[in-house]
Amino acid sequence: MKDLDRFLREEGVQGSLLDETAHFLKTHGVRSGDEKRIPDPPYLYYGKQVWEKAIAALLCGENLLLAGAKATGKNVLAENLACLFGRPLWNVSFHVNADAAYLIGSDTYDGSKVVFRPGPVYCCASHGGFGVLDEINMARNEALAVLHATLDFRRVIDVAGYDRIEVDPAARFIGTMNYGYAGTRDLNEALCSRFAILEMPLIAQDDLERLLQDTFPQMKAQMRSQFTALFYELEKKARSAEVSERALDLRGLLDAIALIQKGVSSGDALEMCIVNKTFDAYERGLVMDVIRARIPMDLSREDLFM
Amino acid sequence: MIKQHYTGSSRRAMNLIWNAAGDYQWESPFLAFHPNGESDDYLNMVIGLSAKWLDRGRITDFFERLGEGPTLDEISALLWLGIENCVYGKELPVRPVISRMRKERAEEFFRVNGMLSEQQMSFMSIRVYDQELLRWSQVLGRRVLSAGPGARKLAKELEFSPEWDTDEVLGKMHQLLSETFHRTLPDRPRAVVRSSGGLFRTLAGNLSRGLERRTDLLVLRKGSGSGDKKNSVHITHSFARTGAAEAAAADRAYIEETFGPCMYTDAEMRILERSLCTGNDSLCRLWFSKTRQETQPASKEAKKLWLDQEAQLKRNEEYYRTHLFRIRESIRNLSAQTDTIFQSYLRYDPGRAKAGKLDGARVWRGQILSDMKLFLADAQPQESSLCVDLLLDASQSRMNSQEMIASQALVISASFEECHIPVRVTAFRSLRGYTILQRLKEYGDRDCQGLFRYYAGGWNRDALCLKAMEYIMADERSKGMFQTRILLVLTDASPNDSTQMPPKEGGRLFREYEGDEPVRDARCAVNALTAGGVHTGALFYGATSHLEQVHQIYGQQYVRVKTLSQLPDAVSELLRRILARAQH
């Protein structure tokens, strides 16, 4: 956390916000046993303005909705925020069949009687954690209605037949959504009004270079710039709808570099982590053309790293 | 905004160009292919880089003004080698991989040429071959013994410096053009006469095509990339539609005065014509008008047509008023029938559920497998993404039934809109080489008054019109508009046009657009529409002698209509057939 605090000060994030965050940390303890849920993110989020907006919103008690295209770092930011605020993290992956029982909890049999088995939203609310509601717009709006009272000023969860719990003052919910994914739908107004919505921009070129530098300090500068350029060329191609967003995968790009570092050739690594994520053969060809026009296919670890 | 739609190798080539240029809006007039029709990655990258580093407009303008023809294509090819050297040097510091791609391209040159037969070699331009040989040998560090001092001097001249900007590159190209190739650049793009007729044009057209086949160079072209050329690597360009002869300008002015301005920009029309005015329609032009010209045209010819249209508008409205009750009854009948048809089409098949209508055949599963989903649930209607396009033949042959056709179109449109199915109505005719598609009504427009603007005159080139509709619909679908589409054509199934078809392969004479060939073209266009997911059918109101033709073009997907009172039954029958086929 101290590292993250220092990183943010170096990034130029307002000191007053970080001071308040430190105060939040001091005043909101973590239950014993929950420490292991506080994330130690492998990647840092780069983007001063987004950081400032997100920190300010969370300090004001708001829930955050991170809306943006693929590869904008929504989940990275969510994990970074949980780390910065020192809160245990619950991750809820939404899907079309997500329902109240999945989110809040359901009955189960403990061998002698029927008992309530709490769901992730219940746990997060009662333990004062950060709940990441991942791909929130994948779920049907009816399923999300159970969260209304949790997310608004009432901050309660009423579990029918059991209890009515107050949401811990330290608890926050961070939704992520991508408008473009297949199967997504528009969030209804009632749910939207319970979040502060943060439009996530694509990572800036300088920031991506720094991300690569931080993640792979041994990587040669020229190679770093070529991989960065490759990412933006793929992004431009996806934005022009010539290929799907599947190929636009920042995690995939980082994974590919990691594979090259392990000794896999650049062609194979990029094929595994980027090209093969598109299922259409023709589209794979288009993606491969972009890669070939940037990165030689037979680069080895020695070519990429000092 | 109409966007050029590419397929296969063309799309791949364009993607390489866009990627290198960093601009996906640029419609490059150049594409490069290997002899087998595959995209030439390196040369396409060079084309894209020329747009990135140089002023693309001025470079394109230079080549357009240079024009085409065997010698000019040869010069273009040589000048592109100069540009290649320049943009390669500019890009190298920011894209080191380009050096490897260049070497691979050089190796490819030697590999391909090593496999060519003597006969294939004889078709090649020696001058371009020599320059390629020198360039790619230099890239690979090989020595060339066979090239003469003239070729070596030119090779040196074609090493455009990476330091040069657009002015310097163009300056060098102008210098080479005048000093080495002894040519001058005309002030305007070379005009290509596109109208038909005349023995001289016939011969000239064939001669240039014949020479084009024999001139196999490093030329730039914008083509299908389908591998139709047999020899060495090509880059070719097409300027066929960049110029406009004076006669063509007069035709255009007449069409614009009479039918109003074109809905699409010149750039969009170039894309459309390049894609659609091909094969038997290669001498045609297209025009899309939204409204009729409101003000009286100045020219005598156009004014006469304009006054005729005004008079027909009044006759159409009068017919509607006279037959108001019958028309309203037809709308009621047709909406009642089509509502049921559309509703049943738009529903999902019933799904398995724990409540609903018991499915007797599944009862055993409850007892044996404890599967409680023994019922069929009522399905929810799908969200409507269905629309209908109505295409009206507005050729001279419809002159005696214009009022009835306008009313029929009104009945169909009003009935479908009543069922919340958006309808668009387009009338088509061909005149002075232009096939004009005139929008009488837009999707969702409940006011059908525009249909009274229906006016018959001119010829009908059904195939080109159907191709244009397919293109427009595919473009709209790619933008997310209405995924399920029905196209109903009110037709007499007798396509003919005064604009001729080009000569057959190896032939010398232009052919009249009549008889079997236009019918075959129309059938191909309907097949393409169907293959593209547009469910197409025809309401046939032509003569009995054309029944076979309508069958050839539309297969079983047509009904014959003789009177207004038949219309509701005929349309609903046709819809049933179309949607039944669509569900399969």
Side-chain angles (χ1 to χ4, degrees), chain A residues 222-223 225-226 229 233-234 236-238 240-243 280-286 288-299, chain B residues 3 6-16 18-25 39 41 45 52 91 93-98 100-101:
Chain A
Q222 191 194 50
M223 281 296 146
S225 67
Q226 292 306 301
E233 285 178 352
L234 287 171
K236 209 174 248 186
K237 197 168 281 292
S240 306
E242 287 298 317
V243 295
D280 176 66
Y282 188 83
E283 195 180 324
R284 279 204 294 272
L286 293 182
M288 200 47 141
D289 285 344
V290 180
I291 294 174
R292 273 203 211 100
R294 265 297 158 197
I295 314 285
M297 292 288 99
D298 55 358
L299 286 184
Chain B
K3 205 178 166 198
Y6 298 94
T7 53
S9 301
S10 297
R11 186 175 160 208
R12 197 155 180 181
M14 275 311 298
N15 266 278
L16 285 155
W18 284 329
N19 186 49
D23 180 359
Y24 281 75
Q25 298 301 316
S39 157
D41 296 359
M45 181 182 261
K52 176 184 173 183
E91 183 73 2
V94 290
R95 193 188 293 264
V97 76
I98 197 172
R100 185 187 287 237
M101 291 181 76

Side-chain angles (χ1 to χ4, degrees), chain B residues 484-499:
Chain B
T484 309
R485 285 170 179 266
I486 295 174
L487 175 65
L488 299 179
V489 190
L490 268 75
T491 177
D492 64 353
S494 173
N496 49 32
D497 189 9
S498 61
T499 305

Side-chain angles (χ1 to χ4, degrees), chain B residues 1 9 12 118 127 157 172 187 233 260 263 293 307 334 343 345 376 419 422 461 484 508-509:
Chain B
M1 169 76 188
S9 301
R12 197 155 180 181
E118 209 169 290
R127 205 174 194 185
E157 296 272 4
K172 185 69 182 173
D187 291 337
V233 173
M263 285 165 53
Q293 184 71 293
L307 289 171
L334 186 54
Q343 284 305 318
Y345 174 72
L376 293 170
C419 306
R461 207 173 184 102
T484 309
R508 292 194 178 279
L509 295 174

Side-chain angles (χ1 to χ4, degrees), chain B residues 250-264 286-299 301-310 392 394-396 402 426-440 453-459:
Chain B
D251 287 344
R252 183 191 160 117
Y254 173 77
I255 297 294
E256 185 159 8
E257 266 193 307
T258 314
F259 296 101
C262 188
M263 285 165 53
Y264 300 116
L286 280 166
W287 194 264
F288 294 83
S289 70
K290 204 159 194 171
T291 50
R292 196 193 55 87
Q293 184 71 293
E294 292 302 330
T295 50
Q296 255 195 46
S299 77
E301 274 180 306
K303 189 175 170 184
K304 184 181 176 307
L305 193 57
W306 188 87
L307 289 171
D308 281 354
Q309 288 182 342
E310 285 298 299
L392 311 179
S395 62
Q396 188 81 11
Q402 297 177 77
T426 309
F428 73 98
R429 65 179 67 76
S430 294
L431 209 61
R432 292 200 177 190
Y434 278 83
T435 290
I436 303 136
L437 286 90
Q438 192 179 13
R439 292 266 169 88
L440 301 178
R453 293 281 182 198
Y454 175 81
Y455 170 81
W459 306 82

Side-chain angles (χ1 to χ4, degrees), chain B residues 230-255:
Chain B
K230 300 268 189 310
N231 298 321
S232 72
V233 173
H234 313 269
I235 318 178
T236 54
H237 64 161
S238 162
F239 301 125
R241 284 162 189 85
T242 53
E246 280 176 18
D251 287 344
R252 183 191 160 117
Y254 173 77
I255 297 294

